[in-house]
Amino acid sequence: MLRKVRITLAAVFYVLITLLLLVFTGVTYQWLGWMAKVQFLPAVLALNAVVIVALVLLTLVFGRIYCSVICPLGVMQDVVSWIHGRKKKNRFTYSGAKNWLRYPLLVLLIVGVALGIGIIVTVLSPYGTYGYIVNNLFQPLYIWCNNGLAAIAEHYDSYAFYSKEVWLKSAPVLAVSAVLFVAICVLAWRGGRTYCNTICPVGTVLGFVSRFSWLKVHFDADKCKNCGLCSKNCKASCIDFKTHTVDYSRCVTCGNCIEKCNFGALTYAHAPQKAAEAKTEAAAETTDTTRRAIIVGAAIVGAEAAMGQLKKVDGGMTVLQDRETPERDVISTPPGSLSVKNMEQRCVGCQLCISKCPNGVLRPSSDPMRFMQPEMNFDRGFCRPECTTCSDVCPAGAIQPISVADKSSTQIGHAVWCRQYCVVLTDEVDCGNCARHCPTGAIQMVPSDPNDDTSIEIPVVNTEKCIGCGSCEYVCPARPHAAMYVEGHEVHKTV
């Protein structure tokens, strides 16, 4: 019963959090956004004390239930391992804990967070890893299916779906996502929870806490026949049937061992105080296990509750030349991120903000210091002052919640005019796109010749009023280099 309850809750949670990451509209976040905020590492980085305490208490009572139900990367490994297990049964064996690897990787994560080394944080974060795997590998497939439905709906004059462009945001990020996905799947295929119990820092932390959990898997040595089925079906490789011991730091409370034991020698209970008490209560263990399984399910649910591609053409005739991304001395980070440093230290790289950005401004960084973390680029859109989606969805505190009023007055950077690329001077034509579309009025058109009021007008940027939204860079017609580009600020300020 324990195993069935765990599988049911894990399946529901896994499907819903995957939909949260896949769906590019804001509909799913309204209902499922809390699922991202109850992930352990994002909660720690966001200093979300309520979630942290709830998860620690959950682990102290039930063991590493978090890893079996709430963590999507853990559940993904279970799915891969289950597929292999259908053909090759009883394939696991007990192995000792690889503490020589677990603890150094935990220290490495702490150092990466402290120093803001993005590639360390994003690669070692289980939720972040699953997030960018879904965003880079699975979401394009989802969008293509969505676009097919949109084409069918449009044929019948329905607008139930709308198409969205699929494009490569970052080749290095895509490559790393694919490599990590394959590596984790291979580890799960061969060894079940190998990644969780040798690499994952969250598993290491919760493993330490679970040593003291109130409910644990216990052996009854008098009933055990040393058949070894428990060890052969333990995906965490933490049960030594020869010595009748369980490594509780690696046990994820999956219930596989209890279900496979044919002699009732394993129970999920509080440690018995006396051997005699264990014998007299043996007859009631099956009922107790069922009751406890229901309690586990209720506790988990309660804890959780607390917590259109268009071709780019000019006039339908000439294909436009692609724009080259400008070299920026400082990248732009979204309003609410406070500073580049705050983003580097708190972002786990789940890319939920990138997936949900309705303007196509955010994309994953290829820079090692910010690897997989979002940075802003304005060749496909600009950061609209009325949009706060990224700050609404961030679970780690890398982008703090911000109101529309505050966003409109937050300067994340400033526009820079490149005289040599401006079509006003290169082609001697009137333009003024940047000034017309600037939402703060920070760009004015002035005569190119100060002594001739009738001379062709060029843009001038008032950097004190500019908020760095990127509208000028986006609408600039110059190719391949925009005549306007946004230079980011290390620390945001209010204008």
Side-chain angles (χ1 to χ4, degrees):
M1 185 66 181
L2 171 64
R3 181 173 179 270
K4 292 178 181 178
V5 171
R6 190 265 306 170
I7 290 176
T8 301
L9 292 174
V12 171
F13 200 99
Y14 181 70
V15 170
L16 293 181
I17 200 168
T18 301
L19 284 176
L20 171 66
L21 293 164
L22 277 178
V23 179
F24 52 85
T25 65
V27 176
T28 53
Y29 184 80
Q30 297 177 6
W31 301 98
L32 307 176
W34 59 272
M35 289 186 168
K37 295 183 178 180
V38 299
Q39 300 299 316
F40 187 81
L41 186 56
V44 171
L45 296 177
L47 302 179
N48 192 333
V50 174
V51 174
I52 296 172
V53 171
L55 292 177
V56 170
L57 290 177
L58 191 68
T59 306
L60 283 173
V61 176
F62 301 107
R64 281 175 60 181
I65 286 291
Y66 171 88
C67 300
S68 286
V69 175
I70 299 176
C71 177
L73 191 66
V75 179
M76 184 188 81
Q77 294 172 75
D78 286 346
V79 172
V80 175
S81 180
W82 172 78
I83 293 173
H84 188 202
R86 289 174 62 86
K87 291 185 178 181
K88 188 175 181 180
K89 302 182 183 299
N90 303 325
R91 59 195 180 89
F92 300 116
T93 184
Y94 172 77
S95 63
K98 306 295 189 296
N99 292 333
W100 59 270
L101 180 60
R102 299 167 72 190
Y103 295 131
L105 287 176
L106 175 60
V107 172
L108 182 63
L109 175 66
I110 295 172
V111 171
V113 171
L115 300 181
I117 305 175
I119 193 168
I120 295 177
V121 179
T122 54
V123 169
L124 293 180
S125 164
Y127 168 69
T129 299
Y130 186 74
Y132 56 72
I133 285 175
V134 171
N135 190 267
N136 291 284
L137 302 182
F138 301 149
Q139 193 183 57
L141 302 176
Y142 174 86
I143 295 176
W144 280 325
C145 293
N146 171 83
N147 292 349
L149 293 174
I152 295 173
E154 184 179 358
H155 178 74
Y156 291 100
D157 295 327
S158 171
Y159 296 94
F161 301 90
Y162 65 90
S163 62
K164 181 178 176 63
E165 182 181 10
V166 180
W167 52 285
L168 180 62
K169 298 181 179 71
S170 172
V173 168
L174 177 63
V176 171
S177 299
V179 169
L180 286 178
F181 175 66
V182 172
I184 292 171
C185 286
V186 169
L187 290 174
W189 184 270
R190 298 182 60 184
R193 286 280 182 149
T194 303
Y195 173 87
C196 292
N197 289 327
T198 58
I199 298 174
C200 179
V202 173
T204 301
V205 172
L206 294 180
F208 177 79
V209 177
S210 66
R211 295 174 188 267
F212 310 99
S213 62
W214 191 67
L215 295 175
K216 298 185 176 104
V217 175
H218 294 282
F219 271 95
D220 186 336
D222 293 337
K223 291 183 177 181
C224 181
K225 307 301 181 184
N226 292 329
C227 66
L229 281 178
C230 52
S231 294
K232 293 176 182 178
N233 287 277
C234 177
K235 60 192 176 187
S237 300
C238 67
I239 299 179
D240 186 357
F241 73 93
K242 296 178 180 179
T243 60
H244 300 151
T245 57
V246 180
D247 183 352
Y248 297 117
S249 72
R250 292 184 289 153
C251 176
V252 293
T253 320
C254 66
N256 288 356
C257 56
I258 296 174
E259 183 177 90
K260 293 296 180 180
C261 182
N262 298 319
F263 307 102
L266 291 170
T267 56
Y268 179 61
H270 181 54
Q273 296 180 355
K274 297 179 181 179
E277 292 178 1
K279 292 181 179 180
T280 56
E281 295 176 0
E285 279 300 324
T286 303
T287 303
D288 289 344
T289 300
T290 301
R291 184 181 301 113
R292 291 187 186 100
I294 296 173
I295 293 173
V296 170
I300 294 173
V301 172
E304 293 169 356
M307 321 286 168
Q309 186 175 5
L310 297 175
K311 185 179 181 182
K312 296 187 292 182
V313 298
D314 180 13
M317 299 295 291
T318 305
V319 177
L320 292 178
Q321 185 178 7
D322 288 336
R323 177 181 291 170
E324 295 183 10
T325 301
E327 292 291 335
R328 310 177 201 271
D329 293 333
V330 180
I331 65 161
S332 295
T333 58
S337 60
L338 307 180
S339 66
V340 174
K341 193 66 175 179
N342 181 72
M343 176 68 76
E344 292 174 348
Q345 291 181 319
R346 291 193 170 190
C347 179
V348 297
C350 71
Q351 299 183 15
L352 186 59
C353 57
I354 296 174
S355 173
K356 296 293 183 287
C357 178
N359 306 308
V361 172
L362 297 178
R363 61 193 61 185
S365 174
S366 302
D367 188 311
M369 292 296 292
R370 300 180 295 274
F371 196 66
M372 299 287 186
Q373 297 178 351
E375 63 182 26
M376 304 179 77
N377 194 292
F378 307 104
D379 58 358
R380 292 175 178 269
F382 69 98
C383 190
R384 297 182 179 274
E386 71 276 10
C387 175
T388 60
T389 301
C390 58
S391 70
D392 294 336
V393 303
C394 179
I399 308 176
Q400 302 283 343
I402 189 171
S403 66
V404 173
D406 288 339
K407 179 181 178 180
S408 300
S409 59
T410 298
Q411 188 181 64
I412 63 174
H414 65 274
V416 177
W417 179 55
C418 299
R419 182 185 186 93
Q420 67 272 30
Y421 301 134
C422 187
V423 296
V424 171
L425 300 178
T426 59
D427 298 347
E428 296 184 352
V429 295
D430 289 325
C431 182
N433 261 6
C434 51
R436 284 195 299 273
H437 291 88
C438 179
T440 62
I443 302 177
Q444 300 291 324
M445 301 300 293
V446 300
S448 56
D449 184 352
N451 300 318
D452 183 3
D453 292 340
T454 63
S455 62
I456 197 166
E457 293 186 329
I458 57 174
V460 173
V461 181
N462 183 343
T463 56
E464 296 301 319
K465 295 178 65 177
C466 178
I467 60 175
C469 69
S471 63
C472 55
E473 182 176 334
Y474 173 59
V475 301
C476 180
R479 295 292 189 278
H481 302 284
M484 283 286 185
Y485 77 94
V486 175
E487 189 65 58
H489 288 177
E490 291 279 358
V491 180
H492 299 175
K493 65 179 182 179
T494 302
V495 295

